[in-house]
Amino acid sequence: MSENRYQWRNRELREHVAVIDGKACPTIILKNGTYLNTYTKQWQQANIWILRDRIVYVGDEMPELSDHAEVVDCTGKYLVPGYIEPHAHPFQLYNPEALAMYGASYGTTTYVNDNLMWNFLLERKKAFSLLGAFDQLPVSMYWWARLDSQTALQQEEEELFSTPKVLSWLEQQSVIQGGELTAWPSLLDGDDRLLYWIQEAKRLGKPVEGHLPGASERTLTKMKLLGVSAEHEAMTGKEAMQRLQLGYQVGLRHSSIRPDLPGLIEELLAEGLRSFDHVMMTTDGSTPGFYENGIMNVCVAIAIEKGIPLEDAYRMASHNAANYYGLIEELGCIAPGRVANINILQAKDDPNPVSVLGNGEWIRKNNENKHIAPKIDWASHDIQSLSFSWDLTMDDMQFSVPLGLHLVNDVIIKAYAINTDVTLDVIPDNNDDAFLMLMDRKGQWRVNTAIKGFTNRLGGLASSYSATGDIVFIGKSKPDMLLAWKRMKELGGGIVAVHDGEILFELPLTLSGSMYAGEMAELIEKEKELRALLQEFGYPFYDPVYTILFLSSTHLPYIRITQQGIIDVKKREVLFPATLR
């Protein structure tokens, strides 16, 4: 099979050369455009010939055969490589296909994606089959291989993250990185299994990304010695500069919970940075509303506005990422042999494309998005609506744990002593305490406690969207929480908000209870509606979707509710274990 594939690839390469020799006709010719040569950092006028999904020529000439080519006059237009999102978490209510195609209409034509959700939702063979299905899309989809679960699981971590499983992910052709490594404290504590996986990733020519917020110079140095290649957690220009000086590839973050890019660039320039070849930008898996105006095009616009030279601003969203991932022969530049991911701009300093080519196919043309039908058959990959063989009852809503979770901001949580009477069916509205319950999606265990700072009066919220796919319940009223559960169950998964016996909001997440099956534009409006509703009911921060997601994420301080129970993150201790049903 592999031999036949290479023979077919050889024929394709010969056909590329035949276009140059005048023996074959290109499919698209972009003539008289001014393109950014990201190798020389120069703007040059050229004609660009494309054969199906590949650029075959960039220069002054026109092809001998052009009768069957689509010829597009790009006079007065500027062409740059399709943008690359180098660090995507494509499961924040949206699904990877919806995110990729929506972002592509704004010029982001390549995504390097987290595989964490597939570890929880699919067997490996099904997951690998699904990775192959993404090759049908007119965008470039790549993945990274997680080395840890980012939470505490009921089953042993080794069941999901064993050496054979991790290595089988790393060996996939579309998996181009190991990480992001949230379990780095274990690595520093002597976890040689993690170190072996890092070494294997590097042996395969694949970099390893860290997750090192607030790390000291000593820690950053140790992690570099142990094989970590890149980092995206710098929160100041000084931290970003330190990472660059230590030899890291640095991703500057601009996300819904950390919209840091403007400040980072200002501070990096103030620090004297003049070379940007090892700098990328990422939106780090933002929630839907943050993407209303696009993805990497927004980051490029910020970089230009803050004074990054034009050529470097575009390279930070294309060439630099492709080079880091070893994909520069495929992506990140407009040159012969590369995938035809090209953005056509109205002006050099306006990164919002009027036309977009993805894999040689028009995704947007003359300011109009092309209709491209969805291509992923989710059900054939066992991604479908949830069906529950168990039911929630009032007996499950017994709360007696004395320790709860106090939201400090969207994602940081501290422990607090529960003073409210949680034996009542309804917690009074004179405080911001609420019931909090994490329920196994198979109905085998539960963790009951309280949460402070999420709402001061909402009756009930049920969410099958969570870090592990288990069910989150939050609210002041047990009957309202029960009603939210019943409606969520009818939907086959989703987020439901109830108050005083009335359903106020529902968002069906019919792809394994975690992802929306519709268009991104619809989802953006629904997420904005949810955020506004929760803020009306006392949620004091910006991003409730991330709050729900990270309730069980043990890579963040200080306390979390997990499958094992309530966890002290720093001490790595289970303070109150989960209850079997």
Side-chain angles (χ1 to χ4, degrees):
M1 177 69 72
S2 117
E3 193 171 277
N4 290 337
R5 179 169 67 85
Y6 283 111
Q7 288 174 353
W8 175 86
R9 181 64 176 153
N10 287 347
R11 288 197 299 271
E12 184 182 49
L13 294 174
R14 294 296 183 189
E15 193 175 2
H16 294 169
V17 174
V19 175
I20 307 302
D21 290 338
K23 298 176 181 177
C25 181
T27 49
I28 296 175
I29 303 167
L30 306 175
K31 71 173 188 177
N32 298 329
T34 300
Y35 84 102
L36 175 61
N37 187 314
T38 54
Y39 277 88
T40 65
K41 299 187 183 181
Q42 294 175 315
W43 297 88
Q44 299 175 294
Q45 188 166 333
N47 302 313
I48 300 169
W49 312 350
I50 296 166
L51 180 64
R52 293 187 292 274
D53 67 336
R54 294 281 166 163
I55 300 167
V56 297
Y57 175 82
V58 181
D60 296 331
E61 297 182 17
M62 288 291 286
E64 293 181 35
L65 295 180
S66 61
D67 292 350
H68 300 292
E70 177 187 3
V71 181
V72 179
D73 189 353
C74 295
T75 302
K77 300 291 196 303
Y78 299 88
L79 285 65
V80 298
Y83 308 137
I84 298 173
E85 168 51 272
H87 186 94
H89 299 273
F91 313 104
Q92 315 305 5
L93 300 181
Y94 39 73
N95 67 73
E97 180 182 20
L99 174 69
M101 295 311 301
Y102 178 82
S105 69
Y106 289 92
T108 304
T109 53
T110 299
Y111 299 81
V112 184
N113 298 298
D114 188 359
N115 78 326
L116 184 61
M117 193 64 73
W118 303 145
N119 284 282
F120 292 126
L121 296 182
L122 295 174
E123 296 179 356
R124 273 181 297 159
K125 286 185 179 179
K126 286 286 186 182
F128 296 159
S129 173
L130 181 55
L131 299 195
F134 284 106
D135 292 340
Q136 304 173 63
L137 303 182
V139 293
S140 301
M141 296 289 275
Y142 295 92
W143 303 85
W144 75 73
R146 285 279 190 161
L147 308 182
D148 60 274
S149 67
Q150 198 172 288
T151 188
L153 303 173
Q154 277 271 336
Q155 64 192 111
E156 289 296 323
E157 181 97 357
E158 287 77 7
E159 292 183 37
L160 280 180
F161 294 90
S162 65
T163 292
K165 289 181 178 179
V166 169
L167 296 188
S168 67
W169 272 99
L170 285 170
E171 288 164 359
Q172 297 302 304
Q173 186 173 355
S174 62
V175 173
I176 58 174
Q177 177 174 259
E180 63 183 287
L181 185 61
T182 57
W184 59 269
S186 297
L187 180 64
L188 290 182
D189 285 348
D191 188 333
D192 278 340
R193 190 179 63 151
L194 270 177
L195 184 56
Y196 172 64
W197 296 343
I198 292 171
Q199 290 174 317
E200 283 300 289
K202 304 298 276 291
R203 182 183 66 81
L204 292 166
K206 301 180 180 185
V208 174
E209 186 170 18
H211 178 98
L212 304 166
S216 66
E217 180 186 50
R218 180 182 291 267
T219 295
L220 290 168
T221 299
K222 289 179 181 178
M223 296 304 292
K224 202 75 189 72
L225 291 171
L226 293 172
V228 174
S229 315
E231 227 281 321
H232 66 282
E233 291 289 331
M235 290 177 274
T236 67
K238 186 174 182 179
E239 290 181 351
M241 181 66 94
Q242 184 179 56
R243 285 158 169 76
L244 286 167
Q245 290 168 341
L246 290 171
Y248 284 90
Q249 181 86 3
V250 171
L252 304 181
R253 180 170 47 193
H254 191 63
S255 73
S256 52
I257 52 175
R258 297 280 333 180
D260 294 340
L261 185 60
L264 285 170
I265 291 175
E266 288 177 359
E267 293 169 14
L268 275 171
L269 292 174
E271 289 279 334
L273 183 65
R274 296 295 177 265
S275 174
F276 303 92
D277 293 352
H278 299 286
V279 180
M280 308 182 296
M281 298 178 287
T282 176
T283 60
D284 199 13
S286 295
T287 42
F290 194 75
Y291 291 137
E292 189 166 15
N293 298 313
I295 303 182
M296 297 309 296
N297 58 305
V298 175
C299 294
V300 177
I302 292 170
I304 293 170
E305 179 190 351
K306 290 300 177 181
I308 300 288
L310 276 179
E311 297 78 15
D312 283 308
Y314 287 111
R315 276 176 52 108
M316 285 162 63
S318 57
H319 189 110
N320 294 1
N323 198 43
Y324 165 70
Y325 283 116
L327 296 172
I328 198 62
E329 289 292 319
E330 295 281 318
L331 301 165
C333 55
I334 296 175
R338 274 54 172 201
V339 175
N341 292 345
I342 299 174
N343 293 334
I344 302 177
L345 312 178
Q346 194 68 46
K348 277 185 184 179
D349 60 355
D350 182 0
N352 301 297
V354 295
S355 300
V356 177
L357 277 170
N359 288 9
E361 180 178 342
W362 292 109
I363 295 173
R364 180 177 176 85
K365 191 174 184 184
N366 298 327
N367 283 315
E368 290 188 6
N369 293 338
K370 297 291 185 178
H371 175 71
I372 299 173
K375 300 185 184 300
I376 304 296
D377 180 0
W378 295 103
S380 70
H381 299 283
D382 287 350
I383 302 290
Q384 49 199 327
S385 59
L386 296 181
S387 177
F388 298 96
S389 60
W390 56 276
D391 210 353
L392 185 72
T393 70
M394 287 292 284
D395 288 341
D396 291 310
M397 298 187 187
Q398 299 176 21
F399 295 81
S400 58
V401 171
L403 193 72
L405 282 66
H406 182 191
L407 280 182
V408 177
N409 61 29
D410 308 68
V411 298
I412 303 300
I413 306 172
K414 291 185 175 180
Y416 85 106
I418 301 171
N419 295 317
T420 296
D421 186 356
V422 289
T423 64
L424 301 172
D425 283 352
V426 178
I427 294 176
D429 289 351
N430 60 2
N431 60 54
D432 61 351
D433 290 357
F435 301 113
L436 170 63
M437 180 164 62
L438 183 68
M439 178 70 74
D440 175 30
R441 72 158 54 194
K442 297 179 181 178
Q444 297 176 351
W445 53 262
R446 57 182 168 81
V447 184
N448 295 35
T449 182
I451 186 167
K452 185 177 183 63
F454 186 89
T455 182
N456 55 21
R457 61 191 186 94
L458 181 67
L461 178 141
S463 174
S464 59
Y465 168 81
S466 68
T468 54
D470 299 307
I471 316 300
V472 173
F473 296 91
I474 301 173
K476 284 183 166 283
S477 165
K478 294 176 183 177
D480 281 350
M481 291 163 66
L482 196 59
L483 177 57
W485 152 255
K486 290 178 179 176
R487 181 54 184 156
M488 189 209 74
K489 186 177 179 181
E490 291 172 354
L491 292 172
I495 300 176
V496 176
V498 172
H499 190 66
D500 287 341
E502 179 184 354
I503 297 173
L504 302 182
F505 173 87
E506 58 183 48
L507 172 64
L509 299 174
T510 53
L511 302 180
S512 292
S514 299
M515 298 170 284
Y516 186 63
E519 298 288 333
M520 270 290 287
E522 301 167 352
L523 180 59
I524 285 169
E525 293 307 312
K526 290 295 287 183
E527 191 247 340
K528 288 162 65 176
E529 180 186 347
L530 173 62
R531 188 190 321 137
L533 174 69
L534 292 177
Q535 288 173 341
E536 178 187 343
F537 278 85
Y539 180 80
F541 309 115
Y542 173 80
D543 212 332
V545 171
Y546 252 112
T547 297
I548 294 168
L549 178 71
F550 278 165
L551 285 171
S552 57
S553 294
T554 54
H555 69 295
L556 292 165
Y558 293 90
I559 189 170
R560 300 285 144 172
I561 183 171
T562 74
Q563 291 185 0
Q564 291 184 13
I566 300 173
I567 296 275
D568 182 315
V569 172
K570 188 173 182 179
K571 295 180 180 177
R572 302 183 211 176
E573 291 181 0
V574 178
L575 303 177
F576 296 94
T579 301
L580 294 178
R581 297 179 76 224

